[in-house]
Amino acid sequence: SGSYDIAVIAVEWEKIPGQLAQELRTVHIDLEYWNQLKEKEVEIGLLRIDLETGEESILSGKLVRKKTAFPWGNGEEETEMAVGLESGDSGSAVFDQYGYLISMAYGTSHDIGGDRDWGIPLDEIVSNFHRIVENYLEDGHGEKRQELENAK
């Protein structure tokens, strides 16, 4: 998608292995909730999974700015957070203490402002999701349109 690195995939439920299917949970996406958030009051976190060992750990911190200018981008805004992202965390879902999706981890910067962590803001995730799905449907995948509209 545009200047944000967002992709959408569809996986048939039947193809998800049993144990993994039992562990999957619904992601709470609520733009009204996100819009009213007060940055400094929000605790956030993400689940880190070591690809070599499969060991899980929780990375937690604070939301710094819900949406702010990103100095190294192409004019897009990003979510600034303080969680200590590392290589491999990019793409991870970032949730608040109530389980609401806040951002998608993007990367880190090291500059005069210190070490900063960045993510894609929730409103951009949602708008890009809708754009990607609409493009998919317009490209001749109309048989899926009713299925997607029923899921709304």
Side-chain angles (χ1 to χ4, degrees):
S1 80
S3 61
Y4 291 98
D5 186 9
I6 296 174
V8 175
I9 63 168
V11 178
E12 294 178 29
W13 184 255
E14 298 77 32
K15 298 202 178 191
I16 299 173
Q19 179 64 31
L20 178 58
Q22 291 177 9
E23 295 176 9
L24 293 177
R25 300 290 179 258
T26 300
V27 173
H28 300 286
I29 299 173
D30 186 338
L31 283 175
E32 286 184 37
Y33 174 82
W34 185 82
N35 284 328
Q36 60 82 32
L37 282 178
K38 306 285 187 262
E39 283 103 347
K40 300 288 183 184
E41 301 169 9
V42 179
E43 294 179 27
I44 59 173
L46 61 91
L47 179 66
R48 178 183 287 156
I49 302 172
D50 186 299
L51 294 178
E52 291 180 18
T53 66
E55 189 173 314
E56 298 178 357
S57 59
I58 295 177
L59 192 60
S60 61
K62 296 278 185 188
L63 180 64
V64 177
R65 289 185 192 94
K66 185 170 50 180
K67 196 168 182 180
T68 188
F70 183 62
W72 301 274
N74 297 315
E76 72 272 10
E77 294 179 302
E78 304 286 353
T79 296
E80 184 178 351
M81 49 199 161
V83 293
L85 293 177
E86 294 179 359
S87 178
D89 290 335
S90 178
S92 296
V94 178
F95 297 95
D96 74 358
Q97 67 267 32
Y98 304 109
Y100 287 95
L101 183 63
I102 301 299
S103 179
M104 181 175 71
Y106 177 73
T108 62
S109 65
H110 313 283
D111 59 21
I112 198 161
D115 294 342
R116 299 192 281 178
D117 300 313
W118 301 94
I120 298 173
L122 181 62
D123 63 340
E124 296 295 344
I125 294 170
V126 170
S127 66
N128 278 276
F129 169 79
H130 289 294
R131 187 179 54 73
I132 291 166
V133 169
E134 286 299 317
N135 287 343
Y136 174 79
L137 295 174
E138 290 171 5
D139 287 343
H141 299 91
E143 68 278 1
K144 296 286 186 182
R145 179 178 295 278
Q146 188 63 44
E147 200 176 308
L148 289 168
E149 287 177 2
N150 290 340
K152 287 183 181 178

